[in-house]
Amino acid sequence: MAEYDYDVLVIGAGPGGYVAAIRAAQLGLKTACAESRETLGGTCLNVGCIPSKAMLHASEYFEAAGNGTMAKMGVVVEPRLDLSAMHGQRRDAVKQLTGGIEFLFKKNKVDWKKGRASFVDAHTVKVGEETVTAKNVVIATGSSVTPLPGVEVDNAKFVVIDSTGALELPAVPKHMVVIGGGVIGLELGSVWRRLGAKVTCVEFLDEILPGMDGDIRKEARKIFKKQGIEFRLGTKVTGCTVKGKTATLTMEPAAGGAAETLEADCVLVAIGRRPNTDGLNLEAIGLELNKRGQIETAHDFRTKIDGVWAIGDVIPGPMLAHKAEDEGIAVAENIAGQTGIVNHDVIPSVVYTWPEIAGVGLTEEQAKERGEVKVGKFPMMANSRAKTNHEADGFVKVIADAETDRVLGVWAIAVPAGTMIAEAALAMEFGATSEDIAYTCHAHPTHAEAMKEAAMGVTGKPIHI
Ligand code: FAD
Ligand code: NAD
């Protein structure tokens, strides 16, 4: 009889956990995955990446039909919003994709243990009423919305909501105030603006999209402002009262000053996410959290406790699905005795607005702190495909080491920036120079040619500008 029920028990079936479980099973390890949600796929598939992209994609069509973009190309339509059909296609996408993970679990013989998991000791975990033992336990419990003191979220009432509520609104708000000018605020704020809401974004810092390249942050705000989002930068929300369907927010300058109020029929709280560790009973195994409530791991995703590993949003690093997935593959390979590595210096990030905003590697500000750099920038307005498609907003920026020409970072605002950034990530993974990108043949006419031209710009020799 085996010493343990399983070689690997993964806690959490988000993109980190389900990928780790499948890879572990592929490597011949007897694997189970504990998940308390009714469906697999975690935040990403149920209430995150996938449903938000379903609403972004559909609302993009609605806006293009109504704002003259389609008419400019000779397609004249008078759009009418069928919000319940829009929600229907979103729910359908979620159902199909979460069902797909269930199929993959069956196919790979991963046992789904339904219920909340809690440690008894490092190799024993209670999942609901069942006790499961495993030689290795991977914590992949993800993250949840960070609450804002004084602003109480109640997703059932649709007045003060978080991202989960913002995916389900039964009607278009008249005035939506988004607290937080980060990724969620801008993506979901864009959805409801396109569908007809007035959107005001209140951001604590003096610029939106912290962590991104400075030029990109400024240009992005200009574009969103042009699209109709109003920004209140350097402003903090100090409280919120709700009467019936109206919320009244009190706000003041972040640096201190006179308070003011703002009324809205919908307030979206989007000030970040925090790791999920409540209820795991980490005390039982002596695993402590860092100051940010995260589980620290070594480079191979081992925690300080023998046999216990951690990946995804619950550990430090960007809270992104593809980062969690790559860590899921790596941790399973490490458990199986292989060498699983994630290069955390090359994790692309994308904001799926219109146009999209994407980046990988260092910002210009970070790169300059490390030494001299050369920068090439190319506007989408000078890219033939973008111009022809009436998609001229944005630019591509390549940042390279002044001495070695090695690419340190790439940033883009362009309609398909999320797809374009994969090329930059691949180039950086292979240690490319800007010259390598500049002398790689890019198909014409594509938005990707702007990447080539920005790389040519590093040495001052783009052609089309
Ligand atoms: P999660 O996906 O959070 O999964 C963790 C799972 O563990 C959950 O299902 C939870 O129920 C389960 N769990 C927790 N505790 C226990 C327990 N004790 N027992 C059993 N089960 C437990 N990222 C992108 O890269 N691209 C995007 O476009 C994107 N869009 C997003 C949009 C929104 C609105 C949100 C909220 C997030 C978005 N993200 C996006 C972030 C992305 O969803 C997360 O980075 C990703 O889901 C993290 O994966 P994970 O596996 O670490 O955790
Ligand atoms: P975020 O960290 O991207 O942005 C939060 C914003 O809120 C920041 O700009 C911050 O300065 C601001 N803020 C914080 N406290 C505030 C306050 N009291 N008042 C006003 N503003 C305040 O967080 P998010 O948008 O909630 O997203 C959470 C996570 O989910 C992110 O880490 C992101 O990576 C992930 N996510 C990714 C995608 C994507 O990849 N496209 C989409 C959605 C979410």
Side-chain angles (χ1 to χ4, degrees):
M1 200 176 113
E3 195 183 344
Y4 300 106
D5 300 332
Y6 291 94
D7 297 315
V8 183
L9 170 68
V10 182
I11 305 178
Y18 84 70
V19 167
I22 291 172
R23 177 58 115 224
Q26 284 174 342
L27 292 168
L29 300 169
K30 190 175 178 212
T31 306
C33 182
E35 172 56 61
S36 53
R37 238 181 247 276
E38 288 301 306
T39 46
L40 300 172
T43 304
C44 172
L45 267 59
N46 288 283
V47 291
C49 323
I50 296 303
S52 61
K53 266 77 258 180
M55 294 303 281
L56 279 155
H57 187 65
S59 61
E60 231 168 60
Y61 277 101
F62 181 74
E63 177 160 60
N67 73 0
T69 304
M70 282 172 68
K72 235 188 254 177
M73 294 183 278
V75 184
V76 183
V77 283
E78 275 184 38
R80 183 182 62 83
L81 179 62
D82 181 346
L83 188 55
S84 67
M86 200 177 275
H87 282 314
Q89 58 91 40
R90 165 181 59 80
R91 290 191 190 107
D92 193 44
V94 169
K95 193 169 168 220
Q96 287 190 34
L97 291 171
T98 54
I101 307 301
E102 206 172 331
F103 165 79
L104 290 174
F105 268 19
K106 284 190 188 127
K107 186 178 162 209
N108 287 284
K109 302 194 172 47
V110 174
D111 292 340
W112 175 6
K113 303 284 177 190
K114 293 185 189 178
R116 279 198 82 71
S118 174
F119 280 96
V120 177
D121 62 44
H123 299 283
T124 311
V125 175
K126 263 202 106 186
V127 187
E129 295 306 308
E130 194 181 352
T131 300
V132 182
T133 62
K135 188 167 183 206
N136 297 279
V137 180
V138 179
I139 304 171
T141 45
S143 64
S144 331
V145 175
T146 305
L148 177 59
V151 185
E152 203 179 317
V153 166
D154 182 350
N155 281 331
K157 293 206 174 98
F158 298 115
V159 180
V160 183
I161 54 172
D162 60 22
S163 55
T164 302
L167 292 167
E168 295 279 355
L169 290 179
V172 180
K174 288 191 184 67
H175 183 200
M176 173 184 261
V177 173
V178 176
I179 308 179
V183 195
I184 291 182
L186 294 167
E187 287 187 355
L188 294 176
S190 290
V191 166
W192 294 104
R193 182 200 58 73
R194 291 169 189 167
L195 300 182
K198 170 184 154 83
V199 174
T200 306
C201 175
V202 182
E203 166 59 49
F204 183 81
L205 300 174
D206 53 14
E207 190 51 277
I208 60 171
L209 292 173
M212 295 210 148
D213 182 87
D215 274 350
I216 291 276
R217 296 172 71 187
K218 250 185 267 157
E219 184 67 16
R221 180 164 50 82
K222 264 197 236 157
I223 293 171
F224 294 134
K225 194 170 168 217
K226 199 166 71 182
Q227 292 175 353
I229 297 184
E230 205 177 291
F231 288 98
R232 303 293 303 272
L233 302 179
T235 305
K236 68 176 173 202
V237 172
T238 51
C240 176
T241 52
V242 179
K243 275 203 188 117
K245 292 275 168 208
T246 305
T248 307
L249 290 169
T250 44
M251 326 189 291
E252 60 188 45
E260 58 176 317
T261 58
L262 185 62
E263 279 196 356
D265 56 341
C266 186
V267 175
L268 166 58
V269 179
I271 60 161
R273 294 178 63 82
R274 60 180 189 184
N276 288 333
T277 53
D278 278 0
L280 273 177
N281 197 22
L282 295 178
E283 306 77 38
I285 59 169
L287 185 57
E288 285 177 4
L289 305 176
N290 69 14
K291 277 190 197 142
R292 304 188 62 198
Q294 298 158 323
I295 297 173
E296 293 281 350
T297 67
H299 200 63
D300 58 1
F301 309 106
R302 269 174 217 277
T303 68
K304 283 197 177 136
I305 310 302
D306 208 28
V308 179
W309 312 68
I311 55 167
D313 280 10
V314 81
I315 73 169
M319 288 181 163
L320 296 172
H322 41 282
K323 178 242 184 207
E325 284 189 47
D326 285 7
E327 291 177 348
I329 291 175
V331 78
E333 293 179 349
N334 288 328
I335 289 171
Q338 301 183 351
T339 307
I341 293 174
V342 177
N343 178 3
H344 286 101
D345 291 337
V346 184
I347 308 271
S349 65
V350 181
V351 189
Y352 295 87
T353 45
W354 199 96
E356 291 178 346
I357 302 163
V360 60
L362 301 180
T363 63
E364 185 174 345
E365 295 78 17
Q366 290 166 335
K368 277 182 172 159
E369 275 173 24
R370 300 189 186 190
E372 271 199 48
V373 298
K374 280 191 177 163
V375 176
K377 217 168 145 183
F378 190 80
M380 294 313 291
M381 210 171 17
N383 171 271
S384 60
R385 184 67 181 277
K387 193 147 177 61
T388 307
N389 287 4
H390 313 278
E391 296 168 348
D393 277 339
F395 59 83
V396 179
K397 176 173 175 179
V398 173
I399 303 152
D401 184 289
E403 204 178 316
T404 64
D405 191 36
R406 191 171 171 154
V407 177
L408 302 173
V410 177
W411 294 87
I413 301 184
V415 168
T419 305
M420 288 161 68
I421 207 70
E423 169 189 357
L426 188 68
M428 287 178 65
E429 196 62 49
F430 279 81
T433 60
S434 78
E435 193 182 50
D436 290 327
I437 299 177
Y439 282 97
T440 299
C441 190
H442 286 64
H444 174 78
T446 58
H447 295 78
E449 287 172 286
M451 183 79 71
K452 177 187 171 93
E453 295 254 22
M456 290 165 90
V458 171
T459 47
K461 295 192 189 95
I463 297 292
H464 292 96
I465 188 128

